[in-house]
Amino acid sequence: MTGESETFTVPARRGRATRLGAGEAIKIINTHGTQVVDTWAFSAEDLTEFMSNEHMRATLGKLWPAPGDALVTNRRRPILTLEEDSSPGRHDTLIAACDDYRYGLLGCTEYHDNCTDNLFAGMRQLGLTPPECPSPLNLWMNIPVDAAGATSWGEPLSKPGDYVVLRAHMDCVVAMSACPQDILPINGAACTPVEAHYRILGR
Amino acid sequence: MTGESETFTVPARRGRATRLGAGEAIKIINTHGTQVVDTWAFSAEDLTEFMSNEHMRATLGKLWPAPGDALVTNRRRPILTLEEDSSPGRHDTLIAACDDYRYGLLGCTEYHDNCTDNLFAGMRQLGLTPPECPSPLNLWMNIPVDAAGATSWGEPLSKPGDYVVLRAHMDCVVAMSACPQDILPINGAACTPVEAHYRILGR
């Protein structure tokens, strides 16, 4: 496609996925400013090749990507470039997607919406099943790390309308989950997950 | 078993794996003091459940485990406890196992021994095939992280004979690779990979 698409919604607590052709980009918008969006990218040709934080950190030499950085797969090939970021740039690559096990450990006794199931549900809307839930790029998730290696659960540093633009190096599928975490303050002090939005940008 | 087994070798640049019953432990020895040992653990019942750094960091609230810490799987269940650590305790959970792609990016034009292939070869000696190469617990690998999130390739802080003891919470398979990295100084300034050793400890 050329130009910019209509605006799509990632509903609060839910997942969505979209195909992205090589050269196209996705603009992911933190509409309310406090919402973490777990993000994954899979090669359209072979879903076992996907964006991988542990390979990305080795290539980039840092915990969080910045504009201009190529995000690599588990085969160390660029799949997306972080082209623009209007936020302070604090994202997370350290923490696994939440899952029902996680909410059980946090005291929930009934099923809790979670990013892992959202990944599978979002991909299923495209008729796809990911081979696993890779460690996500957690957009706007703020996990401060001190010099001794201790991590903490921060609130997002982003403001309403902040966005990132991720441009595809190969035909791929990008999946997103508006994280349903409402026990820890990673989606802001109010612990209220909300929706996010995205648009597809042409070459 | 009871007591302590004979001493087994993880040869330089190679991988080995061993079964560990619930309650047994493995003592992994950095015989020469400078060798990184990439380490994995898989549930013996189901190899798709394995020790997972991104889940472990969420549980522990830090980048590196310390004595007493339970190391959890991708289903957030303890699989091993780091029971003893005679070294300064600097290990790595951030960096993917090296692979042939990695050495290609570092300029190698021919096949280079690597921890990913060592994992598969070590497991194959037990008749097992892991479903993937999970992000390893890189024993003694020293990846300093600064406040801005930048990482660097440090030399091990360990000394000859340093060891860790990992005790099993469930029947599992522990795999180890004596990392063949000889381009970056992660196995010491001499960039010379050497062997490591291990023993099995009874309940």
Side-chain angles (χ1 to χ4, degrees):
Chain A
M1 61 164 286
T2 57
E4 193 161 327
S5 76
E6 62 185 298
T7 300
F8 300 97
T9 300
V10 184
R13 314 173 73 94
R14 292 288 177 261
R16 290 292 184 269
T18 184
R19 289 185 178 275
L20 207 58
E24 292 180 345
I26 186 168
K27 183 175 189 172
I28 304 177
I29 305 158
N30 197 341
T31 311
H32 299 284
T34 56
Q35 181 60 46
V36 167
V37 180
D38 285 36
T39 303
W40 300 265
F42 297 84
S43 164
E45 273 192 5
D46 177 355
L47 298 180
T48 70
E49 181 170 8
F50 46 75
M51 184 166 70
S52 170
N53 290 329
E54 59 259 32
H55 296 82
M56 186 178 79
R57 288 188 293 259
T59 303
L60 293 184
K62 54 189 169 184
L63 299 184
W64 315 291
D69 286 338
L71 314 182
V72 303
T73 70
N74 52 344
R75 293 179 206 163
R76 303 187 192 260
R77 301 196 300 164
I79 186 167
L80 297 171
T81 284
L82 176 54
E83 200 170 80
E84 294 180 53
D85 185 354
S86 74
S87 77
R90 183 57 79 100
H91 309 291
D92 171 66
T93 67
L94 297 173
I95 302 295
C98 59
D99 51 32
D100 204 40
Y101 306 113
R102 172 72 169 148
Y103 290 105
L105 293 173
L106 288 172
C108 297
T109 54
E110 305 216 346
Y111 178 82
H112 192 291
D113 295 324
N114 62 80
C115 289
T116 298
D117 289 351
N118 285 348
L119 165 65
F120 282 83
M123 296 280 282
R124 199 173 293 123
Q125 289 185 298
L126 302 182
L128 300 172
T129 302
E132 63 181 278
C133 177
S135 187
L137 172 60
N138 296 310
L139 292 173
W140 301 295
M141 185 164 168
N142 177 18
I143 302 291
V145 180
D146 74 14
T151 58
S152 51
W153 305 99
E155 298 172 28
L157 304 180
S158 39
K159 62 184 183 307
D162 268 341
Y163 62 87
V164 298
V165 173
L166 299 165
R167 191 165 297 276
H169 285 257
M170 59 177 84
D171 292 350
C172 62
V173 178
V174 172
M176 295 153 281
S177 169
C179 178
Q181 175 59 264
D182 51 9
I183 299 171
L184 299 170
I186 62 130
N187 291 309
C191 290
T192 304
V194 292
E195 77 277 17
H197 292 92
Y198 67 95
R199 289 200 282 273
I200 308 299
L201 314 183
R203 293 156 201 277
Chain B
M1 62 163 283
T2 56
E4 192 160 329
S5 76
E6 63 184 297
T7 299
F8 300 97
T9 301
V10 184
R13 313 174 73 92
R14 291 287 176 264
R16 290 291 184 269
T18 184
R19 289 185 178 274
L20 208 58
E24 293 181 342
I26 185 168
K27 183 175 189 172
I28 304 177
I29 306 158
N30 197 341
T31 311
H32 300 284
T34 55
Q35 181 60 46
V36 167
V37 180
D38 286 35
T39 303
W40 300 264
F42 298 83
S43 163
E45 273 192 4
D46 178 354
L47 298 181
T48 70
E49 181 171 8
F50 46 75
M51 183 165 72
S52 170
N53 289 330
E54 59 260 33
H55 296 82
M56 186 179 80
R57 287 187 294 258
T59 303
L60 294 184
K62 52 190 170 183
L63 300 184
W64 315 289
D69 286 338
L71 314 182
V72 303
T73 69
N74 51 344
R75 293 178 207 162
R76 304 188 192 259
R77 301 197 300 165
I79 186 167
L80 298 171
T81 284
L82 176 55
E83 200 170 80
E84 294 180 53
D85 185 353
S86 74
S87 76
R90 184 55 80 101
H91 308 291
D92 170 68
T93 68
L94 298 173
I95 302 295
C98 59
D99 51 31
D100 204 40
Y101 306 113
R102 172 74 170 145
Y103 290 105
L105 293 174
L106 288 172
C108 297
T109 53
E110 306 218 344
Y111 178 82
H112 192 290
D113 294 323
N114 62 80
C115 288
T116 299
D117 288 351
N118 286 348
L119 164 65
F120 282 82
M123 297 279 282
R124 199 173 293 123
Q125 288 185 298
L126 303 182
L128 300 172
T129 302
E132 63 180 276
C133 177
S135 187
L137 172 60
N138 297 309
L139 292 172
W140 301 295
M141 186 163 166
N142 177 18
I143 302 291
V145 180
D146 74 16
T151 58
S152 51
W153 305 98
E155 297 171 27
L157 304 179
S158 40
K159 62 185 183 304
D162 269 339
Y163 62 88
V164 298
V165 174
L166 300 165
R167 193 165 295 274
H169 286 258
M170 61 176 84
D171 293 348
C172 62
V173 179
V174 174
M176 296 153 281
S177 168
C179 177
Q181 175 59 265
D182 52 9
I183 299 171
L184 299 169
I186 63 130
N187 291 309
C191 289
T192 304
V194 293
E195 77 277 16
H197 293 91
Y198 68 95
R199 288 199 283 273
I200 307 299
L201 314 182
R203 295 157 200 273

